[in-house]
Amino acid sequence: MDKINLENYKGIIFDLDGIIYDITDAITKAVDDGIEKYQLKVNRDAVMEEIAHLIEEIQNYPVPKILLNSYELLKINSLEGLSFFKKLRIAIFLFNQFNKYREEATIFDGIDDLISKLSKSLKLAILTNNKSQYAEEVLEKFNLTRYFGTIIGFNEVTEVKPSPEGILKILEKWKIKPSEAIFIGDMTTDIEAGKTANVKMVCVASGLAQKETLKEHNPDFLVDDTAELKQLFNL
Ligand SMILES: [Mg+2]
């Protein structure tokens, strides 16, 4: 496996959900509940990926915007053929189940140790498509606040990922070049953002997006989990 020499870098930007905070179980359970309740004949993995994107997207919209965009938002391939209202009922059910299960969500095994080690020689930031307040709450809950001097949520940018805006904003604050930064994310939108910003893009296939799909988007590095991420950094 290729390694990353951390001496060549000054800062690392972390996505939150799927990299630090493990919401995989919450989404899996919500999707399984939905498949059972609505007797859906679907490919579970494909639904998971689409629902994960949908949940990430609508979390940062105010309700009127969700309503106005609901037709576009519910263009979910896995639910093709169902009426708009049926899709809406399923989406609301999935979202409620997800929020219920998320109460039990925790951080990935070993990610706190990795963050602590990286923080000794590098600046660390969070870039999430969620609210920055949500990131602050998660970091606080798991005693990680002290490691992250910068947190950028959707409320601090005009365009969320896949736009590179958030990454560029952090680089500007740090006064470092794209080539001196690493971005770690778990979705195709993260890969697009990282590549457009010209930073080193590390993707973790934590389970929400399928590894094959991620590979097609050509991240600089693609690892399976936190343990492999540690190896990648030689930590
Ligand atoms: Mg994520």
Side-chain angles (χ1 to χ4, degrees):
M1 183 168 143
D2 283 344
K3 306 263 176 183
I4 289 182
N5 182 357
L6 289 172
E7 284 171 14
N8 297 330
Y9 297 91
K10 293 185 176 160
I12 302 190
I13 302 167
F14 283 80
D15 173 40
L16 184 71
D17 287 337
I19 294 296
I20 294 173
Y21 195 36
D22 185 3
I23 54 164
T24 318
D25 270 2
I27 292 192
T28 311
K29 286 180 185 167
V31 167
D32 283 345
D33 287 356
I35 290 175
E36 195 187 323
K37 182 173 164 84
Y38 293 96
Q39 296 289 306
L40 303 172
K41 305 261 178 293
V42 291
N43 173 337
R44 182 168 170 262
D45 289 344
V47 183
M48 286 255 296
E49 190 166 349
E50 284 194 301
I51 296 300
H53 272 290
L54 181 65
I55 283 175
E56 192 165 75
E57 198 170 349
I58 63 174
Q59 272 180 350
N60 56 54
Y61 286 179
V63 173
K65 193 174 173 191
I66 296 177
L67 292 176
L68 287 172
N69 291 289
S70 53
Y71 189 79
E72 275 307 306
L73 287 169
L74 289 174
K75 281 190 175 158
I76 300 170
N77 290 326
S78 318
L79 301 181
E80 217 178 46
L82 299 179
S83 75
F84 170 71
F85 288 103
K86 176 125 197 203
K87 283 199 268 190
L88 191 59
R89 271 205 304 276
I90 295 172
I92 291 170
F93 175 79
L94 290 174
F95 196 58
N96 284 333
Q97 294 302 99
F98 167 71
N99 276 326
K100 190 179 84 181
Y101 290 125
R102 198 176 59 185
E103 302 281 312
E104 305 151 17
T106 182
I107 53 172
F108 285 97
D109 246 2
I111 193 74
D112 43 354
D113 178 55
L114 176 63
I115 289 169
S116 157
K117 283 179 176 147
L118 291 171
S119 73
K120 294 197 166 77
S121 59
L122 296 146
K123 292 177 191 294
L124 304 183
I126 298 279
L127 175 62
T128 173
N129 275 2
N130 223 303
K131 272 191 208 150
S132 49
Q133 194 196 332
Y134 162 86
E136 284 161 17
E137 285 166 11
V138 172
L139 295 177
E140 193 59 44
K141 186 173 176 183
F142 298 98
N143 284 317
L144 297 170
T145 308
R146 64 185 178 282
Y147 301 117
F148 296 94
T150 307
I151 298 172
I152 301 277
F154 80 88
N155 42 311
E156 270 100 19
V157 291
T158 51
E159 279 180 34
V160 297
K161 296 173 286 186
S163 160
E165 186 186 334
I167 297 176
L168 297 176
K169 202 167 170 171
I170 295 168
L171 299 184
E172 200 176 307
K173 185 179 171 196
W174 284 346
K175 298 186 172 30
I176 68 172
K177 291 179 287 201
S179 58
E180 296 169 321
I182 297 169
F183 177 46
I184 311 175
D186 68 314
M187 303 283 246
T188 55
T189 41
D190 294 316
I191 303 177
E192 295 313 313
K195 285 170 74 176
T196 313
N198 265 316
V199 294
K200 201 50 94 184
M201 178 63 216
V202 177
C203 200
V204 186
S206 68
L208 287 179
Q210 294 172 57
K211 196 172 181 184
E212 276 311 304
T213 315
L214 295 170
K215 202 180 247 172
E216 282 163 20
H217 283 75
N218 281 319
D220 295 306
F221 296 92
L222 177 59
V223 297
D224 281 334
D225 51 27
T226 311
E228 276 193 26
L229 197 55
K230 276 186 182 172
Q231 289 175 27
L232 180 67
F233 293 133
N234 247 332
L235 290 170

